[in-house]
Amino acid sequence: MSLKGKRILLGVTGSIAAYKSAFLVRLLIKAGAEVQIVATASAFEFITPLTLATLSKKPVLSEFQKDNTGAWNNHVELGLWADLMIVAPATANTLGKFSGGLCDNLLEAVYLSARCPVMLAPAMDLDMYQHSSVQDSMRKLISYGNHILEAQSGELASGLSGQGRMMEPEDILIEIESFFSKSKDFQGKKVLVTLGPTQEALDPVRFISNHSSGKMGLAIAESFFKRGAEVHLIAGPIKTEIPSKFTTVNVSTAEEMLKSAQSKHSAMDICVFSAAVADYRPAEVADQKIKKSDSDLSISLTKNPDIAQTLGKKKSQKQIHVGFALETENEKKNAKQKLTKKNFDLVVLNSLQDKGAGFQGDTNKVTIFHRSGEQIESELLSKSQVAELILDQIKNVPVWI
Ligand code: C5P
């Protein structure tokens, strides 16, 4: 695939694998990309600026100041310039600093300023790679939305053998190409995402609700938008501000969410039901605040409409519906039953058993069920990586064209 017109910021840090950066630049330039290299001072102990500058056809940047004239390299501009930032090799030091938000060299300042996706290709000795602090840094970086290109196993510079070798430049190129090739694969598609909790009023000051943060739904919306779709949101009350690039209807209750979803449904190609809709609402909403008394209080609840199930009955052969399941027992069996009950094409099972998965956090671990019986189980990933995985699976649904 051609990378013509793509602007890639390549970070090089001080590992023996820095010699492989030369091959990587060559591959990227050959594929048509424009490459700007930002290196740390210690990278130059392994590879010269001249080698990297010659291959990338641009001066290599390393210092904040260009010379003694007061001219400086603008990390913010660099961070905004790139379509993709990749740090290869990424040392334990750089991973630790990135994950901790430190900023004592140009590369770290560029990383913190970058708005584009960031890939990190770690390289280090096997014991360093397995060290809890390095593993923690990587987990943290994943949860911030970075992509870690896992180190590979084999012979290491130390003479030991194990996991720690930087991914080969040819494989990194494949990762970069696949990142760009799926960039606009949802162009022309209209997508509806329900997200967040609903609030069901008891009286003017109290309501029944749940802990849904809406983060998974927002990550899905972001991925659809990034990949070219027109995104419509129906959002329950959430703390996160919703970007204006989405067409959003804000609702409070399940009934409002259903009404809004019904009005949009027929125009949509894909619907993702990620809202944590309250299954019940108070049978009566008191006009005035319910007064405290000395006796206990019982509240009678009535069933809310099931939005996904209602619209599932209206789904045309061309539409794709994706639902979620959050179960505490018989997880897989219950998740699969929703495929038929709610007429979903895909069900995404959130695991509550795994640390880091679930409602409020930035990471998630899921199993995706297709109607064909196929199941895809993920690692613990950032919610944006889970979103990417869900979109990739939507493309495997038979009605996808
Ligand atoms: O049956 P359960 O609540 O576990 O199903 C979860 C799935 O159904 C989610 O996709 C959720 O958004 C959707 N749902 C809905 N309306 C409801 C309840 C759940 O759309 N009232």
Side-chain angles (χ1 to χ4, degrees):
M1 176 208 160
S2 164
L3 293 177
K4 202 164 169 12
K6 304 294 179 210
R7 297 193 284 211
I8 298 176
L9 217 149
L10 173 62
V12 182
T13 68
S15 150
I16 177 61
Y19 81 90
K20 290 192 196 170
S21 312
F23 294 95
L24 180 58
V25 192
R26 222 170 55 128
L27 290 171
L28 292 172
I29 295 283
K30 234 170 128 184
E34 194 183 339
V35 181
Q36 173 62 63
I37 297 180
V38 179
T40 60
S42 51
F44 296 144
E45 292 177 22
F46 296 93
I47 188 157
T48 72
L50 185 59
T51 307
L52 294 174
T54 309
L55 292 169
S56 65
K57 305 181 200 297
K58 277 183 200 291
V60 175
L61 306 178
S62 181
E63 305 288 337
F64 284 104
Q65 296 222 25
K66 284 185 176 161
D67 41 39
N68 286 332
T69 63
W72 58 297
N73 290 312
N74 188 330
H75 56 276
V76 178
E77 264 175 23
L78 282 167
L80 297 181
W81 168 85
D83 297 312
L84 175 73
M85 176 173 182
I86 169 148
V87 183
T91 57
N93 183 44
T94 292
L95 293 175
K97 284 170 156 185
F98 279 13
S99 71
L102 298 188
C103 188
D104 64 2
N105 65 29
L106 182 65
L107 181 64
E108 284 147 24
V110 171
Y111 165 72
L112 292 176
S113 308
R115 288 194 189 160
C116 60
V118 179
M119 292 182 178
L120 303 160
M124 64 200 77
D125 212 44
L126 75 165
D127 294 309
M128 293 172 75
Y129 195 71
Q130 291 308 334
H131 198 283
S132 305
S133 58
V134 173
Q135 290 289 324
D136 265 356
S137 297
M138 289 198 280
R139 258 194 298 277
K140 228 164 147 189
L141 286 163
I142 290 171
S143 76
Y144 296 157
N146 300 281
H147 305 265
I148 300 280
L149 305 183
E150 281 239 355
Q152 295 171 346
S153 293
E155 201 182 314
L156 302 165
S158 61
L160 297 173
S161 195
Q163 192 179 12
R165 286 167 67 93
M166 187 179 93
M167 185 181 272
E168 292 303 325
E170 292 77 8
D171 295 328
I172 295 180
L173 181 70
I174 292 170
E175 294 281 343
I176 293 175
E177 284 176 338
S178 97
F179 163 76
F180 282 117
S181 74
K182 65 183 184 191
S183 296
K184 296 289 173 206
D185 50 359
F186 282 83
Q187 190 98 48
K189 301 283 180 200
K190 285 190 179 176
V191 178
L192 177 69
V193 182
T194 70
L195 62 106
T198 63
Q199 288 180 351
E200 311 294 338
L202 259 170
D203 67 19
V205 292
R206 304 184 182 95
F207 54 77
I208 296 175
S209 191
N210 59 64
H211 292 296
S212 170
S213 64
K215 283 181 182 171
M216 194 61 241
L218 274 181
I220 290 169
E222 281 289 350
S223 292
F224 274 122
F225 186 82
K226 223 173 54 196
R227 291 166 72 164
E230 180 185 309
V231 183
H232 296 251
L233 304 184
I234 305 177
I238 57 169
K239 290 196 190 111
T240 318
E241 202 180 319
I242 299 176
S244 57
K245 61 191 176 198
F246 308 127
T247 307
T248 305
V249 180
N250 293 296
V251 297
S252 294
T253 66
E255 286 184 306
E256 286 168 10
M257 191 173 271
L258 174 65
K259 221 169 135 198
S260 179
Q262 278 173 323
S263 73
K264 287 175 174 274
H265 180 253
S266 62
M268 297 294 145
D269 298 296
I270 301 163
C271 297
V272 179
F273 300 93
S274 70
V277 185
D279 290 324
Y280 295 92
R281 66 178 185 275
E284 278 171 35
V285 185
D287 288 340
Q288 306 297 329
K289 185 178 170 195
I290 299 169
K291 276 279 178 213
K292 183 164 44 181
S293 74
D294 290 336
S295 51
D296 292 341
L297 173 72
S298 299
I299 297 162
S300 161
L301 299 174
T302 188
K303 200 141 177 32
N304 257 336
D306 191 308
I307 299 160
Q309 196 172 355
T310 309
L311 295 179
K313 290 182 183 142
K314 297 234 149 84
K315 182 165 78 108
S316 78
Q317 295 210 320
K318 285 187 184 152
Q319 287 177 310
I320 296 176
H321 280 195
V322 179
F324 278 77
L326 185 80
E327 302 290 334
T328 50
E329 53 186 351
N330 298 325
E331 286 186 309
K332 294 197 169 178
K333 187 168 157 249
N334 286 335
K336 276 193 272 187
Q337 278 173 354
K338 288 190 217 305
L339 279 171
T340 39
K341 190 171 170 213
K342 306 202 185 197
N343 200 11
F344 288 141
D345 298 280
L346 290 182
V347 164
V348 183
L349 172 67
N350 285 290
S351 171
L352 270 186
Q353 322 286 359
D354 296 286
K355 208 172 148 238
F359 266 138
Q360 295 278 347
D362 293 318
T363 51
N364 210 353
K365 188 170 177 192
V366 298
T367 309
I368 300 177
F369 299 88
H370 282 263
R371 290 185 85 99
S372 63
E374 196 191 348
Q375 295 181 18
I376 287 92
E377 229 160 289
S378 83
E379 301 290 306
L380 185 64
L381 301 170
S382 69
K383 285 191 171 169
S384 46
Q385 285 173 316
V386 172
E388 289 292 311
L389 184 68
I390 294 169
L391 265 65
D392 290 345
Q393 290 309 315
I394 288 175
K395 288 177 66 186
N396 289 341
V397 171
V399 305
W400 173 265
I401 30 158

